[in-house]
């Protein structure tokens, strides 16, 4: 039986700093090949069962890649449903990071009850009217438990008011952001740009065709690249300013900024996240923006049969052996092994792998 | 692209905790994020939390798929 795999993160610590960080992944990145030989319809049903951790995004990107392979375009209602499914899953993932994972790393109380509450309000299937309710519920939860004000008001804070918000010690999200500013590591090198139709064909499809193992260690034009909220938001003035001071807090701020905009996206989805590209007869690619970053599927169909299936997932970009995690830790100051371990855990959290990881420190 | 393998709940404990069977290995997990789980149910496990309850038919289908995946399907295409 195949397992979901994990990331082994080995740090070389020289007594003062992390000299190097090695990443070894046992993720079965070619497991999607189990879809090969099946009818396209069946493959589309199986995708969310196989990859149910981010099942909604996986189902959406698979459907969009199949559309592109068949040379058809989804109607507006389908496109809206897809955007909402992605936004709902992104909300769930961001709230998980914020209520469970990050508190554990920063000595704060985890709040699984609040996440369970959100999950109860988000049914797997929803019609137009239910989505409006879900958006209203999400907005209320974010107001009460994350921002201390309506998310849209938080997004509109000017610099002085934002600085005051950060000092609100009663708010766990503000407190955690302030705490992250004390850690120095993880400066980003290169971001994965927005992959449009041209980039999907000329860069991603071409790389996958030249070397199928690209999916395990993807590069953007020959270099490792970071994907995720910071890669999408780093040009926003407030985030750029935070990034100039601290990379870990900037990644959290980018996440919070996207989180605050999600209720509006649920209410009235802007067709922005899902894009497809036809790379040849029967060959479709699609990319979607998930909480963890850009998720890409490529499907080759012969008639309605899947001949080849490839997935390039965010974890493989961020945890590339020379990627954002490995390079971001190299040289980071750490007075003892525990500090080295915590820096690694905080950067791993910021880059958000979709599997468990294990940190080892070799002195 | 995270594979999510169904696991079977074999014991329930206090405080939303449970023991599951992961391919013959017993593991303690949290049920804090899902409601109404009973012994014998299949759940999807993610970093120590059950995140989804599966109906038995769906679980069987998924497990069959993982069994089929085996080892050689985890390799890069030639």
């Amino acid at each position: 039986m195949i397992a979901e795999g994990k990331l082994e993160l080995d740090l070389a610590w020289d007594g003062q700093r992390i000299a190097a960080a090695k990443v070894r992944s046992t993720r079965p990145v070619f497991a999607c090949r189990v879809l090969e030989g099946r009818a396209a319809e069946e493959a589309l049903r199986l995708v969310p069962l196989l990859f149910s951790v981010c099942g909604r995004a996986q189902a959406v990107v698979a459907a969009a890649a199949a559309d592109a392979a068949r040379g058809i375009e989804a109607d507006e209602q389908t496109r809206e449903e897809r955007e909402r499914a992605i936004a709902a899953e992104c909300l769930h993932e961001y709230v998980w990071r914020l209520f469970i994972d990050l508190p554990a790393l920063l000595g704060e109380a985890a709040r699984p009850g609040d996440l369970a509450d959100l999950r109860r309000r988000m049914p797997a299937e929803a019609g137009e009217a239910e989505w409006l309710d879900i958006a209203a519920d999400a907005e209320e939860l974010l107001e009460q438990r994350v921002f201390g004000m309506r998310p849209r008001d938080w997004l509109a804070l000017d610099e002085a008011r934002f600085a005051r918000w950060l000092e609100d010690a009663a708010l766990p999200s503000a407190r955690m952001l302030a705490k992250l500013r004390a850690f120095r590591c993880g400066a980003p090198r290169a971001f994965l740009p927005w992959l449009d139709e041209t980039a999907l064909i000329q860069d991603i499809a071409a790389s996958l065709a030249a070397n199928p193992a690209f999916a395990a260690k993807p590069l953007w034009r020959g270099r490792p690249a970071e994907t995720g909220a910071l890669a999408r938001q780093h040009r926003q003035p407030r985030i750029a300013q935070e990034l100039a001071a601290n990379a870990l807090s900037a990644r959290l701020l980018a996440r919070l900024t996207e989180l605050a905009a999600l209720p509006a996206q649920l209410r009235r989805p802007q067709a922005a996240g899902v894009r497809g590209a036809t790379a040849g007869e029967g060959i479709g690619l699609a990319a979607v923006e998930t909480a963890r970053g850009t998720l890409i599927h490529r499907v080759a169909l012969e008639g309605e049969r899947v001949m080849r299936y490839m997935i390039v997932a965010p974890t493989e970009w961020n945890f590339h052996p020379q990627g954002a995690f490995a390079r971001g830790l190299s040289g980071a100051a750490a007075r003892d092994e525990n500090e080295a371990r915590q820096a690694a855990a905080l950067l791993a959290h910021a880059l958000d792998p979709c599997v468990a990881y294990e940190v080892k420190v070799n002195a | 692209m995270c594979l999510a393998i169904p696991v079977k709940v074999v014991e329930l404990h206090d405080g939303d905790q449970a023991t599951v069977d992961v391919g013959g290995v017993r593991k303690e997990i949290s049920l804090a994020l899902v409601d109404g789980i009973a012994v014998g149910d299949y759940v999807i496990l993610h970093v120590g939390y059950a995140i989804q309850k599966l109906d038995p038919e769906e679980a069987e289908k998924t497990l069959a798929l993982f069994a089929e995946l085996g080892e050689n399907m985890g390799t890069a295409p030639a």
Side-chain angles (χ1 to χ4, degrees), chain A:
Chain A
M1 173 87 108
I2 197 158
E4 74 269 32
K6 65 177 176 190
L7 296 174
E8 293 168 10
L9 311 172
D10 284 356
L11 314 182
W13 177 68
D14 69 5
Q16 287 174 320
R17 56 194 66 247
I18 298 168
K22 272 197 194 137
V23 179
R24 203 174 89 79
S25 169
T26 57
R27 274 162 53 71
V29 294
F30 302 107
C32 50
R33 298 196 63 206
V34 76
L35 303 171
E36 295 173 2
R38 295 177 195 269
E41 278 315 312
E42 189 195 0
L44 291 179
R45 271 199 309 278
L46 292 177
V47 161
L49 289 180
L50 271 171
F51 307 113
S52 52
V53 170
C54 50
R56 294 186 193 210
Q58 297 282 359
V60 165
V61 70
D67 284 352
R70 293 164 175 152
I72 58 173
E73 266 189 35
D75 58 41
E76 195 174 328
Q77 193 193 341
T78 305
R79 285 206 301 268
E80 275 200 353
E81 277 167 15
R82 289 176 180 174
E83 296 289 349
R84 278 183 167 135
I86 301 244
E89 192 162 79
C90 196
L91 178 75
H92 173 261
E93 292 300 313
Y94 281 160
V95 168
W96 185 322
R97 298 300 91 74
L98 204 57
F99 287 3
I100 293 183
D101 297 342
L102 192 56
L105 296 174
L106 291 174
E108 300 262 342
R111 294 178 292 160
D114 286 346
L115 177 58
D117 192 29
L118 175 74
R119 293 170 59 93
R120 273 181 214 112
R121 299 183 200 194
M122 288 204 307
E125 304 281 333
E128 178 78 25
E130 285 96 339
W131 279 116
L132 297 181
D133 289 343
I134 294 169
D137 284 349
E139 199 151 50
E140 192 187 312
L141 178 97
L142 296 183
E143 178 177 341
Q144 291 170 357
R145 307 295 164 88
V146 179
F147 297 107
M149 62 183 73
R150 289 190 308 176
R152 72 188 98 138
D153 295 336
W154 182 82
L155 284 172
L157 290 178
D158 63 22
E159 206 175 321
R161 288 200 178 91
F162 177 69
R164 275 206 296 282
W165 177 83
L166 257 178
E167 286 164 9
D168 185 350
L171 273 178
S173 39
R175 210 162 54 220
M176 291 194 290
L177 204 130
K179 278 187 183 178
L180 283 178
R181 285 179 165 180
F183 294 91
R184 308 234 149 256
C185 68
R189 305 287 174 108
F191 294 116
L192 185 66
W194 178 261
L195 300 177
D196 59 12
E197 193 178 347
T198 311
L200 281 174
I201 294 170
Q202 289 183 358
D203 294 284
I204 304 299
S207 298
L208 283 168
N211 173 22
F214 175 84
K217 290 173 187 169
L219 297 171
W220 173 250
R221 299 191 175 161
R223 295 175 62 202
E226 176 175 342
T227 186
L230 184 63
R232 289 187 289 255
Q233 305 295 337
H234 67 102
R235 287 196 184 84
Q236 238 223 56
R238 188 191 285 170
I239 294 164
Q241 196 180 342
E242 187 73 22
L243 183 57
N246 189 293
L248 287 180
S249 59
R251 288 192 181 86
L252 176 58
L253 186 59
R255 232 179 240 173
L256 287 170
T257 302
E258 292 196 339
L259 178 61
L262 285 172
Q265 175 72 358
L266 286 175
R267 194 168 287 128
R268 191 165 318 231
Q270 307 294 313
V274 186
R275 55 271 190 213
T278 307
E281 178 73 34
I283 299 176
L285 280 93
V288 299
E289 292 308 314
T290 71
R292 295 185 171 89
T294 308
L295 172 66
I296 304 162
H297 280 207
R298 175 196 182 273
V299 63
L301 297 180
E302 241 177 61
E304 276 298 299
R305 191 153 298 278
V306 175
M307 303 309 288
R308 183 53 59 87
Y309 211 100
M310 295 172 176
I311 297 178
V312 188
T315 300
E316 275 60 59
W317 291 98
N318 288 345
F319 293 85
H320 185 284
Q322 286 86 44
F325 177 82
R327 304 268 301 262
L329 271 190
S330 170
R335 281 171 300 185
D336 54 40
E337 291 191 22
N338 278 338
E339 273 193 15
R341 208 177 289 281
Q342 189 175 27
L346 286 171
L347 185 56
H349 169 87
L351 296 168
D352 201 5
C354 58
V355 284
Y357 59 87
E358 209 174 86
V359 179
K360 273 191 207 141
V361 183
N362 305 300

